[in-house]
Amino acid sequence: MASPYSPPHAPHRTKQPSLSQLRAFAAVAEHLHFRDAAAAIGMSQPALSGAVSALEEALGVQLLERTTRKVLLSPAGERLAVRARTVLDAVAELMEEAEAARAPFTGALRLGVIPTVAPYLLPTVLRLVHRRYPELDLQVHEEQTSSLLEGLAAGRLDLLLLAVPLGVPGVTEVPLFDEDFVLVAPAGHPLAGRDDIPREALKELRLLLLDEGHCLRDQALDICREAGRADGAEVTTTAAGLATLVQLVAGGLGVTLLPRTAVTVETARNTALGTGRFAEPAPSRRIALAMRTGAARQAEFEELARALRGAMEELPVRVVGGGS
């Protein structure tokens, strides 16, 4: 079958590449498949093929090596694919900045939230947004911290709600509040009902944790190390979510640590569970919003943070800074 593409002609410097041509080429460079690339950007395959050919003619270089079975980037294509993506990202940032300047708190806001925050804080966040920012199209994505940071860096997400510090270059953290950890144990456990548990008690307890990848697991392990628990202390049972973790505790398999915002939701209706508070200063975590440093909507996000602090004063947390 004859290829629908013609080799690029000699360079013509009379025409500038269009954004649609760059977008088509960037999609092909990413997928190395015309059908998949066309589907990814919502363009017909013939239109995409024509756009790439037109870009080759405008630039005067061959960007792709086409065979009947696959598509490869030429050496020039590999270099220019990076440039094309840079141009497209810059245009996207320009449009984002223009939209933010034109009408704050309108359009889409893609918010990433970690699983140990989402069920307990989202009701407060959603009420605030619906009441105060009715024109804002809030889109929520629940993912683990590493995935959220990748999404933020790639532009897939605009703002994150998660535990800090992150220590990631290019990410600005805006603190919201601190919350204590609570010990959850089987009902009748010697530590259940106490409000003066020493951290050192964690050295000998059979601690149940979330799976690898959850920041709450790492925080719990850090607390245990501070309490003097050996790094090699065995963890034989883990869970994918806090609800399962609490059920394991109710079944007598051990104890766990919950952030205080999660305690009522996860334990209130289970008579097989008891809770205990740590002596001051209790182990805690900090929750913050995180954005790309220098984001076009930074002022908007900081205003949202002030509003959230005010809304979260009703929760069992210590707000960082003042409300709005």
Side-chain angles (χ1 to χ4, degrees):
M1 178 178 177
S3 170
Y5 303 97
S6 302
H9 300 298
H12 297 294
R13 300 303 179 191
T14 58
K15 295 181 65 176
Q16 292 283 342
S18 69
L19 287 177
S20 62
Q21 291 169 358
L22 292 175
R23 194 171 291 113
F25 170 54
V28 174
E30 178 181 353
H31 294 278
L32 295 179
H33 194 286
F34 282 100
R35 184 179 65 247
D36 293 347
I41 62 175
M43 181 182 284
S44 71
Q45 189 171 338
L48 178 134
S49 301
V52 174
S53 293
L55 178 62
E56 289 181 315
E57 183 171 354
L59 296 176
V61 294
Q62 182 177 346
L63 301 173
L64 305 176
E65 297 178 5
R66 305 169 178 87
T67 70
T68 56
R69 294 187 177 182
K70 59 183 177 180
V71 177
L72 298 174
L73 291 175
S74 69
E78 291 182 356
R79 293 172 57 187
L80 293 177
V82 176
R83 295 288 189 182
R85 175 48 56 192
T86 299
V87 171
L88 293 172
D89 288 345
V91 171
E93 290 175 4
L94 182 148
M95 297 302 294
E96 179 184 352
E97 186 162 355
E99 181 179 355
R102 184 172 60 250
F105 296 106
T106 62
L109 172 56
R110 299 163 296 179
L111 176 68
V113 191
I114 55 174
T116 59
V117 161
Y120 320 113
L121 296 187
L122 278 180
T124 300
V125 174
L126 296 176
R127 281 194 300 270
L128 171 71
V129 169
H130 290 157
R131 182 184 75 249
R132 193 158 178 170
Y133 311 114
E135 300 302 316
L136 187 65
D137 177 19
L138 185 65
Q139 302 169 7
V140 177
H141 302 261
E142 183 185 35
E143 302 169 25
Q144 293 185 8
T145 299
S146 59
S147 177
L148 293 180
L149 289 171
E150 290 172 1
L152 187 69
R156 178 173 61 83
L157 299 172
D158 303 310
L159 190 64
L160 309 181
L161 179 60
L162 73 180
V164 296
L166 300 167
V168 177
V171 175
T172 295
E173 302 169 9
V174 183
L176 297 176
F177 63 82
D178 296 329
E179 66 174 326
D180 291 342
F181 283 103
V182 174
L183 183 74
V184 180
H189 190 281
L191 297 179
R194 288 181 55 177
D195 59 5
D196 61 348
I197 301 171
R199 294 194 191 200
E200 291 73 21
L202 293 170
K203 291 195 294 185
E204 307 301 332
L205 296 174
R206 186 180 184 190
L207 190 65
L208 305 179
L209 299 174
L210 291 175
D211 293 337
E212 295 278 357
H214 288 275
C215 62
L216 187 59
R217 174 192 175 94
D218 297 330
Q219 292 159 357
L221 290 173
D222 287 342
I223 292 167
C224 290
R225 278 191 288 269
E226 292 171 4
R229 187 184 180 100
D231 282 347
E234 188 177 13
V235 178
T236 57
T237 303
T238 62
L242 292 185
T244 301
L245 201 60
V246 167
Q247 292 303 316
L248 296 174
V249 174
L253 295 187
V255 303
T256 196
L257 297 174
L258 287 188
R260 197 167 173 203
T261 51
V263 170
T264 299
V265 173
E266 300 297 349
T267 69
R269 297 184 180 181
N270 195 329
T271 58
L273 294 169
T275 61
R277 300 287 301 278
F278 288 90
E280 296 293 341
S284 64
R285 69 173 182 174
R286 173 162 290 188
I287 300 300
L289 293 178
M291 70 188 82
R292 290 181 295 276
T293 300
R297 303 172 73 178
Q298 181 168 340
E300 182 180 342
F301 296 159
E302 289 174 347
E303 181 180 337
L304 176 62
R306 289 191 290 272
L308 284 172
R309 291 189 195 106
M312 290 174 178
E313 286 178 346
E314 299 177 356
L315 300 176
V317 301
R318 295 182 299 281
V319 172
V320 179
S324 65

